[in-house]
Amino acid sequence: MFRGCVLLAALVVLLSGCASSGTSRPRQEITAESYGKDKTKGLVVVSALWGRTWKCAQFENGQLRSFGFDRLPSRITADDAAADVVVEESAYYGERPATNYVLALDPGEYGLATFAIRVATSATDVKVVRVGRARLFEGGKPIGGTFDVKAGELVYIGHFGLDCYKAPTIWRYYPEGRAGFDNYRQVIKKQYPFLDVENMQFRLMRTSVLGRNYTLPQ
């Protein structure tokens, strides 16, 4: 079970546009061949809830399409420039389970820099919500959320999906309780059998506007 709360609707700006076609998995995603070759990296576990949500705020449906993070301090200033870490979905629009990723990243702190949401009022009236650094950074600092990773760590930072409370926005969810996290570890182990998931840490992306504070109970 995943849980969310209220959202910061002011972050959302609607722009006309078409969703991109299918995309590849993130370039930082590890494989059995690449795992362990670079000891200077940290491993970040993230899941995306790409499924379509019906009756999303004032829309017929909505769907998270992408999200990205800049390594801090960010040297990228353009609002529409690609983030350092980008997670995107394919062109599939139906129901689907969470998609899991394990990314090998340079150690440091990362801030949410971009996200995009597809919204529709009908089959022919479709828009894309695009939010960038102009809304997610303030004074050069991220206000949407941050996470950190150290070399050699395996860290889970959250499930990212859609919240539809007042306006569609990205939201950071999580599995509840020790049992929920243990079950999630086994899902990751099945997908990445070469990982030592028993050492996976639960350290959610820190946010005060796009997710609820939560610490795994002892």
Side-chain angles (χ1 to χ4, degrees), residues 10-136:
L11 287 177
V12 178
V13 177
L14 291 182
L15 300 175
S16 297
C18 297
S20 62
S21 59
T23 56
S24 61
R25 292 177 74 91
R27 61 182 176 83
Q28 297 95 342
E29 186 173 22
I30 63 169
T31 64
E33 291 73 27
S34 67
Y35 173 64
K37 290 184 177 179
D38 189 348
K39 302 294 185 181
T40 68
K41 302 289 188 182
L43 299 183
V44 171
V45 184
V46 58
S47 291
L49 304 169
W50 298 128
R52 184 164 46 182
T53 300
W54 293 94
K55 296 182 179 178
C56 185
Q58 70 269 38
F59 299 99
E60 179 184 88
N61 64 76
Q63 183 187 28
L64 181 64
R65 296 305 306 272
S66 67
F67 53 98
F69 303 91
D70 285 349
R71 189 165 182 254
L72 304 176
S74 178
R75 294 188 288 266
I76 309 171
T77 57
D79 196 43
D80 59 351
D84 291 323
V85 182
V86 177
V87 183
E88 284 187 290
E89 61 115 37
S90 71
Y92 182 78
Y93 288 113
E95 299 302 318
R96 64 192 304 182
T99 303
N100 307 304
Y101 309 88
V102 178
L103 311 177
L105 303 183
D106 291 327
E109 187 176 23
Y110 292 77
L112 183 67
T114 65
F115 66 85
I117 298 169
R118 174 189 179 274
V119 292
T121 55
S122 69
T124 57
D125 185 6
V126 181
K127 294 182 174 66
V128 174
V129 178
R130 302 186 189 278
V131 178
R133 296 171 187 85
R135 296 270 173 166
L136 293 170

Side-chain angles (χ1 to χ4, degrees), residues 1-3 43-47 147-148 153-159 172-185 188 196-206 212-218:
M1 179 180 179
F2 300 96
R3 177 177 293 173
L43 299 183
V44 171
V45 184
V46 58
S47 291
F147 70 88
D148 64 272
E153 284 189 321
L154 177 63
V155 178
Y156 164 72
I157 65 166
H159 278 63
R172 193 266 291 125
Y173 299 90
Y174 50 83
E176 292 188 36
R178 284 281 171 184
F181 186 50
D182 287 343
N183 289 337
Y184 178 66
R185 279 175 168 156
I188 297 301
D196 180 8
V197 297
E198 294 305 314
N199 288 324
M200 187 165 75
Q201 299 181 49
F202 185 100
R203 196 160 75 228
L204 298 176
M205 181 188 81
R206 298 175 293 273
R212 168 180 287 183
N213 291 328
Y214 181 78
T215 302
L216 202 64
Q218 298 296 322

